[in-house]
Amino acid sequence: MQTYRIARAARLLGVSDDTVRRWIDHGLLPVTDAVPAEIPGDALAARAVALAEEAKAADDLLSSARNRFIGIVTRVQIDGLMAQVDLQAGPHRVVSLMSAEAARELQLEVGSLATASVKATQVVVEVPKV
């Protein structure tokens, strides 16, 4: 089974190293006997799912989209009829192209809280070379 060191686990979950250490101390994440500490991949995956469920439970919106990224708008670039909106959701940068009218109606500006919903028929999954 693949394991992850604390710093890598923190980056994958979009939290600080200290947060991961607190979760370990509170029994929310198990570690192996390795030194330095490593988190089993299946436990890290379960924690990621739990975090997503917590975020979903705090939301007051129902949607059929399963790929939702809650984050902060980091850029709004309006040019003519179109707008590009960048959203930082933890370690993920999500870019949306929309009409300038929609960006204005949503009152999107840097620092706004927003959710990107992705509904796609094709998703590419990659893994690192071993």
Side-chain angles (χ1 to χ4, degrees), residues 37-112:
E38 293 181 344
I39 300 162
D42 59 347
L44 191 63
R47 186 68 186 144
V49 169
L51 288 173
E53 291 299 322
E54 289 172 17
K56 209 182 293 182
D59 199 356
D60 61 353
L61 180 70
L62 295 175
S63 174
S64 67
R66 296 294 176 246
N67 303 309
R68 301 180 73 237
F69 302 91
I70 299 169
I72 301 293
V73 174
T74 58
R75 182 170 81 158
V76 178
Q77 185 176 9
I78 296 176
D79 184 19
L81 296 174
M82 296 302 294
Q84 177 180 326
V85 178
D86 292 27
L87 182 81
Q88 193 67 40
H92 308 288
R93 176 177 168 243
V94 181
V95 179
S96 176
L97 300 177
M98 65 181 73
S99 70
E101 178 183 13
R104 288 186 187 101
E105 283 179 6
L106 293 171
Q107 300 177 356
L108 294 173
E109 59 185 29
V110 172
S112 296

Side-chain angles (χ1 to χ4, degrees), residues 11 61 113:
R11 282 193 305 275
L61 180 70
L113 178 66

Side-chain angles (χ1 to χ4, degrees), residues 10-22:
R11 282 193 305 275
L12 290 169
L13 295 176
V15 297
S16 70
D17 296 10
D18 289 336
T19 297
V20 172
R21 285 186 187 91
R22 279 193 297 277

